[in-house]
C-alpha cells in the first residue's frame, strides 16, 4: 500500500458506503478506463469473474470451443469450464512467451475445417508483457472470432503505444494480492462496447429486472466489487506508474548481474511495446549449466527466498488432459521448454537493493558451482 488508500477507505466508512456499490466503485471504474483509454469499465470481485462475464458476453454455450494461451494461470481457463466450454490450447512463441500467431493460425484453420470455430480466443499477456496482438487480431478478424485479452498480469504495459488489455473486444485486469496493484481481491472488465458492459453490470448484481419486487428473467451472479475495496483500488491506481518503474528497475538489476552468465536467458521484451516486468523470469539452458529451476528454487528456499517455476502449461494439467493443443511449430512445443527450464525470481515492488543483491549473489554462486561446461570468453 502507498498510504493514499487509507483516505479513500476512511471516506467509505465516513459515508457508510460499505456495499458492492457506491462512489468509489464508480470512481475506480472511471479512473481506470480513463487510464487505459477504453470507453468503459466494470469493477468485479476478481479477474476470474471478469473473464467469466466476457465469455457470457460473447455468447458462450455448452460445447463451444474457446482457444486459450497454454502458458498461463488456471484462472484463464476455469471460466470456460464453468460454462461447459471446450478449451483448446495455443502454444507460446519464443519471442514473447505469449500466444504464437502461427499456432493460432493452424488451430483456426483446423477448427474451420471441422466446422466448429471457437466462440472466443483468450489471449494472455504473460508476466507483464503484451502478446503480439496485431497478427492475432488480424487472424481472429479474418475468421470472425472475438478476442478477450487476459491482461491480469499486464496492467501498466503497452502495445504499440496503447494500453495492454485494450486491444481485444474485451480486456480483463486483476487486483489480486500478487498483482502489480491490488485491492486484496478484485478485477475489472474493460471494453469500448458500453451496451455489453451494461449487460455484464446487470448480470453481476444477480440480474435483477426493473421491478420493485425481486424479479429475475436471466441467470445472474454476485460478482461486484465492494466500495471499500474500490477505494483501495483508487489509491493504488495513483501509484501504478511508480510500481511499473520499480519492477522494471528490479528486472534491470537482475539482468545486469546475471545475463552475462552463459546459459542464462531472460524473458525477452519485444520491440512493439513496454513490459511492466511484473515478474522477472529467466531460463537456464541445461546444456550449458548443469542445474534445473527446481534445484535453484530449493537452494533459494534454504535461504528463505521464494522463487517459483514458470506456470505449468494448461495442456499438461491433469484437469485439462483431454483438450486439444496446437504447438508453435508442428514438431516443437515452446511452452514445454519454458516450463522445463524457466524460473520466476523475487520481483516485489518493495524489494530493497540490498535484498536483491543478496538474491543475485546466491543465484550467481549456485550457477557458478554447477561448473558451466563452456566458460564464456
Ligand atoms: C491472477 C490471474 C488471473 C485471475 O485473477 P483473479 O483476480 O485472481 O481472479 C487471471 N489470469 C491470469 C493470467 C492471472 O495471472
Amino acid at each position: 500500500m502507498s498510504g493514499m488508500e487509507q483516505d479513500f477507505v476512511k471516506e467509505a466508512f465516513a459515508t457508510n458506503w460499505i456495499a458492492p456499490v457506491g462512489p468509489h466503485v464508480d470512481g475506480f471504474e472511471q479512473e481506470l478506463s480513463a487510464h487505459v483509454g477504453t470507453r468503459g469499465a466494470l469493477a468485479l470481485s476478481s479477474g476470474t469473474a471478469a473473464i467469466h462475464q466476457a465469455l457470457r458476453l460473447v455468447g458462450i454455450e455448452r460445447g463451444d470451443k474457446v482457444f486459450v494461451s497454454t502458458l498461463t494461470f488456471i484462472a484463464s481457463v476455469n471460466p470456460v469450464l464453468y460454462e461447459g466450454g471446450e478449451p483448446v490450447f495455443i502454444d507460446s512463441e519464443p519471442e514473447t512467451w505469449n500466444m504464437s500467431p502461427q499456432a493460432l493460425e493452424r488451430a483456426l484453420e483446423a477448427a474451420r475445417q471441422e466446422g466448429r470455430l471457437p466462440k472466443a480466443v483468450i489471449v494472455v499477456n504473460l508476466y507483464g508483457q503484451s502478446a503480439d496482438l496485431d497478427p492475432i487480431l488480424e487472424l481472429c478478424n479474418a475468421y470472425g472470432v472475438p478476442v478477450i485479452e487476459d491482461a491480469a498480469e499486464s496492467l501498466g504495459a503497452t502495445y504499440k503505444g496503447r494500453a495492454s488489455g485494450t486491444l481485444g473486444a474485451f480486456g480483463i485486469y486483476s487486483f489480486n494480492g500478487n498483482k502489480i496493484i491490488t485491492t486484496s481481491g478484485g478485477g475489472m472488465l474493460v471494453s469500448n462496447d458500453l451496451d455489453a458492459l451494461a449487460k455484464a453490470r446487470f448480470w453481476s448484481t444477480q440480474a435483477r429486472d426493473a421491478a420493485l419486487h425481486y424479479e429475475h428473467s436471466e441467470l445472474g451472479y454476485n460478482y461486484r466489487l465492494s466500495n471499500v475495496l474500490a477505494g483501495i483500488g483508487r489509491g493504488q491506481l495513483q501509484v501504478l506508474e511508480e510500481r511499473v518503474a520499480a519492477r522494471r528497475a528490479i528486472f534491470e538489476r537482475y539482468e545486469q548481474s546475471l545475463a552475462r552468465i552463459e546459459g542464462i536467458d531472460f524473458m525477452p521484451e519485444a520491440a512493439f511495446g513496454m513490459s511492466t516486468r511484473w515478474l522477472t523470469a529467466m531460463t537456464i539452458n541445461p546444456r550449458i549449466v548443469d542445474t534445473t529451476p527446481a534445484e535453484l528454487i530449493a537452494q533459494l528456499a534454504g535461504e528463505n527466498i521464494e522463487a517459483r517455476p514458470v506456470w505449468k502449461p494448461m495442456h499438461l494439467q491433469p484437469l485439462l488432459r483431454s483438450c486439444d493443443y496446437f504447438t508453435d511449430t508442428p514438431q516443437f512445443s515452446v511452452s514445454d521448454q519454458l516450463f522445463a527450464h524457466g524460473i520466476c525470481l523475487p520481483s516485489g515492488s518493495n524489494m530493497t537493493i540490498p535484498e536483491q543483491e543478496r538474491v543475485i549473489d546466491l543465484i550467481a554462486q549456485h550457477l557458478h558451482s554447477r561448473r558451466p561446461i563452456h566458460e564464456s570468453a
Side-chain angles (χ1 to χ4, degrees):
M1 294 293 108
S2 69
M4 289 179 269
E5 297 84 356
Q6 235 154 16
D7 295 334
F8 288 103
V9 171
K10 266 187 206 140
E11 192 184 315
F13 275 70
T15 55
N16 211 24
W17 280 105
I18 313 295
V21 59
H24 286 333
V25 177
D26 301 340
F28 190 30
E29 287 175 348
Q30 283 158 16
E31 287 154 14
L32 186 122
S33 64
H35 191 93
V36 299
T38 56
R39 291 185 63 204
L42 176 66
L44 295 168
S45 52
S46 69
T48 311
I51 296 171
H52 191 191
Q53 295 301 275
L55 286 170
R56 289 285 316 271
L57 287 168
V58 300
I60 187 172
E61 286 174 16
R62 186 158 292 277
D64 279 343
K65 282 183 201 266
V66 176
F67 290 2
V68 191
S69 307
T70 194
L71 191 58
T72 187
F73 176 52
I74 189 71
S76 308
V77 186
N78 276 336
V80 178
L81 304 182
Y82 300 164
E83 292 299 322
E86 189 190 300
V88 173
F89 296 114
I90 312 294
D91 198 7
S92 303
E93 56 171 6
E95 293 81 8
T96 63
W97 298 17
N98 282 315
M99 185 177 279
S100 156
Q102 59 190 24
L104 174 65
E105 182 163 26
R106 289 204 320 285
L108 283 167
E109 191 45 35
R112 190 190 61 77
Q113 278 170 22
E114 205 191 310
R116 281 182 67 213
L117 282 170
K119 258 293 155 55
V121 175
I122 300 178
V123 179
V124 178
N125 300 317
L126 199 69
Y127 299 142
Q129 169 157 261
S130 176
D132 192 1
L133 264 304
D134 273 354
I136 291 171
L137 286 167
E138 194 179 315
L139 281 165
C140 288
N141 290 340
Y143 285 85
V145 178
V147 167
I148 298 170
E149 244 188 294
D150 179 348
E153 300 180 3
S154 69
L155 178 60
T158 60
Y159 179 77
K160 299 188 179 172
R162 292 164 70 185
S164 180
T166 64
L167 287 102
F170 299 101
I172 77 95
Y173 301 110
S174 166
F175 313 110
N176 194 27
N178 60 340
K179 299 303 197 286
I180 196 153
I181 62 170
T182 180
T183 59
S184 73
M188 195 76 81
L189 176 66
V190 296
S191 181
N192 292 323
D193 183 344
L194 295 182
D195 292 339
L197 291 178
K199 189 83 211 187
R201 183 169 279 122
F202 167 72
W203 287 331
S204 66
T205 46
Q206 306 286 19
R208 273 180 67 182
D209 293 341
L212 182 59
H213 56 274
Y214 286 71
E215 176 116 336
H216 305 275
S217 37
E218 284 187 64
L219 177 65
Y221 308 86
N222 182 5
Y223 271 176
R224 280 291 258 168
L225 186 68
S226 132
N227 191 59
V228 180
L229 300 187
I232 298 177
R234 294 181 82 179
Q236 286 271 287
L237 197 53
Q238 296 183 5
V239 294
L240 173 60
E241 272 156 33
E242 260 171 53
R243 297 287 150 91
V244 171
R247 301 262 171 162
R248 286 184 63 87
I250 286 167
F251 170 84
E252 275 156 30
R253 282 197 289 273
Y254 277 126
E255 194 191 35
Q256 273 166 17
S257 312
L258 298 172
R260 67 183 98 117
I261 301 178
E262 215 197 338
I264 296 303
D265 291 292
F266 284 85
M267 180 180 181
E269 182 176 35
F272 56 58
M274 185 196 65
S275 169
T276 67
R277 298 291 189 184
W278 171 59
L279 292 188
T280 290
M282 66 178 201
T283 55
I284 306 170
N285 185 335
R287 289 188 301 267
I288 299 177
V289 186
D290 185 21
T291 189
T292 61
E295 282 180 345
L296 180 53
I297 288 167
Q299 190 75 24
L300 292 170
E303 301 288 333
N304 201 23
I305 295 164
E306 188 184 29
R308 302 239 185 117
V310 164
W311 296 126
K312 180 172 182 172
M314 294 299 112
H315 70 275
L316 300 176
Q317 298 291 349
L319 174 69
L320 303 163
R321 218 172 3 229
S322 60
C323 300
D324 283 342
Y325 172 49
F326 287 83
T327 48
D328 180 45
T329 57
Q331 306 303 331
F332 191 79
S333 171
V334 171
S335 64
D336 282 67
Q337 295 299 308
L338 293 172
F339 176 56
H341 308 306
I343 176 169
C344 296
L345 301 178
S347 310
S349 318
N350 56 356
M351 238 186 151
T352 64
I353 293 177
E355 280 169 344
Q356 199 187 347
E357 281 170 349
R358 191 174 145 242
V359 177
I360 288 168
D361 288 346
L362 288 162
I363 294 171
Q365 260 173 41
H366 177 77
L367 296 175
H368 286 305
S369 75
R370 294 317 172 96
R371 284 180 292 115
I373 297 154
H374 316 280
E375 281 292 351
S376 55

